[in-house]
Amino acid sequence: MMGQGHLRCFLQYPQAQVLAVCDVDQWRRENAVRTVEDTYAQLRPDGNYRVCQAYRDLRELLARDDIDAVVVATGDRWHATASILAAK
């Protein structure tokens, strides 16, 4: 639930673009991508945005060289692991 709230907030910043989402749950992952694509289609009707990629494995997302920042909105036991991987 927190991830969806954070996502909707970040989508309102014109200086940022959500390039990827990651979730092990397929429904949440697909819903997040749909939210990003629908929002950008409305906010940027000129089509000036990149497609949002979906990942099941955080390590694959973090391997991208075009990701400048990540938001970790996981269950309590995974915050530290995900944050350490992102920091590396």
Side-chain angles (χ1 to χ4, degrees):
M1 298 300 283
M2 292 300 297
Q4 284 292 321
H6 293 324
L7 178 62
R8 291 183 191 285
C9 180
F10 288 121
L11 289 171
Q12 302 308 310
Y13 289 95
Q15 67 272 32
Q17 182 175 350
V18 177
L19 297 177
V21 296
C22 182
D23 202 306
V24 296
D25 182 275
Q26 181 179 353
W27 182 87
R28 289 178 193 244
R29 189 172 57 244
E30 291 173 356
N31 186 56
V33 169
R34 193 169 33 256
T35 298
V36 171
E37 296 296 328
D38 290 350
T39 301
Y40 284 149
Q42 290 176 10
L43 293 176
R44 301 175 181 183
D46 60 357
N48 190 18
Y49 61 90
R50 292 172 48 195
V51 174
C52 179
Q53 296 292 316
Y55 294 89
R56 185 173 189 274
D57 188 327
L58 176 64
R59 294 167 295 189
E60 292 177 14
L61 182 150
L62 294 174
R64 291 178 55 164
D65 62 0
D66 62 339
I67 302 295
D68 295 326
V70 297
V71 174
V72 178
T74 62
D76 291 339
R77 291 177 176 84
W78 287 100
H79 279 110
T81 302
S83 297
I84 290 167
L85 289 171
K88 287 181 178 182

